[in-house]
């Protein structure tokens, strides 16, 4: 299930290039094109799910894997000791600009709170 007009479906399929840091049967991860921190990776399900709002109970394992893969990448990127942030922007007020569910992994500097 992919959407031929969707940027992240195209990246997951390999038809648009990205700097991949992880790929498995369910998820891909790649460096954000506009990094907001020294490490800024996007973790993306291969399945086209438009946002967290569109996820359902059948995606429970996938959503768990999304977090565990983010932690694995954080470890690989050397972020575990100092910490990092995982973010899912949802909808207009959440600041979501790409309509395919993705998790941001940010680290490598002290991040401010609250976000803007
Ligand atoms: P959102 O604002 O939807 O939470 O996050 C979308 C993210 O996708 C942004 O951080 C943006 O920089 C990133 N992005 C948009 N287009 C591309 C692209 O073509 N390649 C990569 N690697 N990242 C992208
Ligand atoms: Zn998609």
């Amino acid at each position: 299930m992919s959407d031929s007009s969707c940027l992240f479906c195209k990246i997951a399929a390999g038809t648009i290039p990205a700097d991949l840091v992880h790929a498995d049967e369910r998820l891909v991860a790649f460096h954000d094109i506009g990094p907001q921190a020294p490490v800024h990776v996007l973790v993306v399900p291969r399945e086209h799910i438009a946002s967290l709002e569109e996820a359902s109970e059948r995606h429970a394992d996938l959503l768990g894997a999304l977090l565990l893969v983010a932690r694995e990448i954080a470890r690989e990127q050397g972020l575990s000791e100092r910490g990092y942030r995982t973010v899912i922007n949802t909808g207009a007020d959440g600041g979501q600009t790409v309509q395919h569910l993705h998790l941001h992994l940010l680290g490598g500097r002290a991040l401010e709170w609250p976000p803007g």
Side-chain angles (χ1 to χ4, degrees):
M1 277 171 280
S2 71
D3 178 338
S4 60
S5 66
C6 170
L7 174 64
F8 286 176
C9 282
K10 289 177 184 169
I11 288 177
T15 56
I16 288 181
D19 189 1
L20 291 184
V21 297
H22 177 91
D24 64 38
E25 65 278 5
R26 292 188 294 183
L27 298 166
V28 296
F30 48 88
H31 289 286
D32 194 292
I33 205 167
Q36 300 300 311
V39 175
H40 187 173
V41 167
L42 302 174
V43 190
V44 177
R46 290 186 184 275
E47 179 179 342
H48 181 80
I49 303 166
S51 78
L52 187 59
E53 272 298 306
E54 305 301 319
S56 65
E57 199 58 40
R58 78 176 176 85
H59 296 115
D61 282 357
L62 179 66
L63 293 171
L66 194 70
L67 281 171
L68 292 172
V69 164
R71 184 187 65 180
E72 181 183 316
I73 296 165
R75 289 175 175 170
E76 289 165 3
Q77 297 284 326
L79 302 178
S80 298
E81 192 177 332
R82 292 186 58 86
Y84 51 89
R85 187 170 295 167
T86 49
V87 175
I88 298 175
N89 296 325
T90 303
D93 277 5
Q96 184 179 3
T97 60
V98 175
Q99 309 311 316
H100 178 132
L101 176 64
H102 53 282
L103 179 147
H104 297 256
L105 168 65
L106 297 144
R109 67 172 172 86
L111 298 163
E112 292 171 13
W113 191 263

